[in-house]
Amino acid sequence: MPILVFLLDTSASMNQRTYLGTTYLDVAKGAVEVFMKLRARDPASRGDRYMLVTFDDPPYGVKAGWKENHATFMCELKNLQASGLTTLGHALRTAFDLLNLNRLVSGIDNYGQGRNPFFLEPSVIITITDGNKLTHSSGVPDELHLPLNSPLAGSELTKEPFRWDQRLFALVLRLPGAAAPDNEQLGSVPTDESAITQMCEVTGGRSYCVRTQRMLNQCLESLVQKVQSGVVINFEKTGPDPPLVGDENSVEPSRPLSSFNSQLWHSCHKLIYVRPNPKTGVPVGHWPIPESFWPDQNSPTLPPRSAHPVVRFSCVDCEPMVIDKLPFDKYELEPSPLTQYVLERKSPHMCWQVFVSSSGKQTDLGQPFGYLKASTTLTCVNLFVMPYNYPVILPLLDDLFKVHKLKPNLKWRQSFEMYLKTMPPYYLMTLWTVA
C-alpha cells in the first residue's frame, strides 16, 4: 500500500503569479490533482493512501494524516492559503515523523534483527515549492537543516529522519511571470539548484526544475512512474575491478571502451524492487540483509543504523548457488551504472557475492549473504538474498537432505555447530523454519 505525501509550500511567496495568470499555489494544487488522476490509471493505486502537509508551524502543518479520509484531503487541499515563512526543514521533519508514527509499534524496521526488504511501507514525499530562500522566525538560513530532535520513540535507532522505503521528490516551480519561453525543448528535466535537491538525492529521489506548464505535466508523468514498491540500498564495490570480458582478458573488439572508463558503477544509491505476491498482494520473503554489527546481548542499547544499508559487492566471478528445499529471495535492481556494467559483461551464469561490513563476529567484511547476477536474458540484474555465509551452509544442508536423509552423523553436526558460531543469531529462527 503506497503512501503518497504531498508537502506543499504555503509561504507567502507562493502568491506570486505565473505567465498562466494563476499563482504558484494554484499551480501546486492543480499538480496534485493531475498526479492523482494519472496515478488512478494504475490498478495498483486502489490501495494508495494520500497525506497532505504544509509549511505551517507544527502541529498545524499536517492537514491530512493517518486518520483523515480522501474527502478531507481534497477539502484541505482546496482551502490552502499562502501566508507563512519558508520553513522547509521543519516541514520535512514533520512529514517524515508522520510517516514514521507507527513503525516502532508495527516492528517494520526489525531493529537488531537484520533488515527485511519484504517488511516495507513504500512512501513517496512530493514537495511542491517555489525554491525561494529559506526563511525562519529567527532569520534567513543559508542551508537546509532538519530538526534533529524527534518526539517519536525509537527515532534514535536510525541516524537519519527517513527510512529506506521513503523517498523525497521535489517539483521546484520556476515559471516566469511574464511570458512562456518560446524555444521550449522537451527532453529530460534538469534538477533544481535549490537547497532541497541534495536532500532528495540522499533519500534516493530527485528534484525537477519546472519552467513551463508542459514541463510540469512531463514531471508528473515521470513521478507517477516513481511510485514503486522497493527499498533503497547503497551498493559499494570492494576489492579490485574484474578483468575485462573477452578472450585472454582483453576487451572484445565490438565492446565500447567508453563504458569501461567510467567508475560510476563502483558506488550506486538505488532502489531494489520488492514485488508483492500476486495472490495476496503482500511481499513475501525469508532472509534479512544483515546488520552492520554483531549483536551483543550484554549491551543495554542497539547501535543506531543508517537508513540505507551499505551492501558491498566483490567483482570475483563465482558460480551461483541454490539447493532444493531451501528458499531464496530475489529482487530486481533499479537501472543504474552498476546494472549497465554487469549486463555489458554478458555473463549471466556467473555472479558477484555481496557482503555487509562488520556483520560477522570476526571478519571486517563479514561473510557473503547473497549475490548479484544478471538475468539469463540479460534484461536486468537481480540481488539474490540467501542464508548468511551461504557457501558454507548450502552444501551442509544439501548433504543433510540427500546424503544423511535428515539423520546427520557426528562430523556433520560438528561442521554445523562451527557454522552456527559464525552466523548472526537472528538468522536462526528463519533457518529453523525453512530448513
Side-chain angles (χ1 to χ4, degrees), residues 244-284:
L244 299 179
V245 176
D247 294 332
E248 299 177 4
N249 290 341
S250 64
V251 181
E252 292 177 10
S254 60
R255 190 68 54 85
L257 276 166
S258 60
S259 63
F260 291 125
N261 294 336
S262 171
Q263 306 300 305
L264 290 173
W265 64 274
H266 285 186
S267 177
C268 281
H269 185 65
K270 287 291 181 177
L271 206 65
I272 60 169
Y273 300 123
V274 183
R275 312 286 189 200
N277 183 305
K279 292 180 181 177
T280 62
V282 178
V284 176

Side-chain angles (χ1 to χ4, degrees), residues 119-195:
F119 286 177
L120 79 165
E121 233 171 28
S123 307
V124 172
I125 298 177
I126 300 171
T127 302
I128 308 180
T129 176
D130 59 5
N132 270 6
K133 282 277 188 184
L134 304 175
T135 51
H136 193 265
S137 55
S138 58
V140 182
D142 291 327
E143 296 178 343
L144 175 61
H145 292 289
L146 274 67
L148 293 175
N149 55 322
S150 169
L152 298 183
S155 60
E156 72 282 358
L157 294 171
T158 303
K159 295 175 184 175
E160 298 89 351
F162 53 87
R163 305 293 180 264
W164 67 341
D165 52 1
Q166 301 166 356
R167 290 175 299 149
L168 173 66
F169 294 88
L171 296 171
V172 184
L173 305 178
R174 303 286 188 188
L175 285 75
D182 294 329
N183 57 346
E184 183 182 354
Q185 297 290 320
L186 272 185
S188 59
V189 179
T191 56
D192 197 70
E193 294 181 3
S194 56

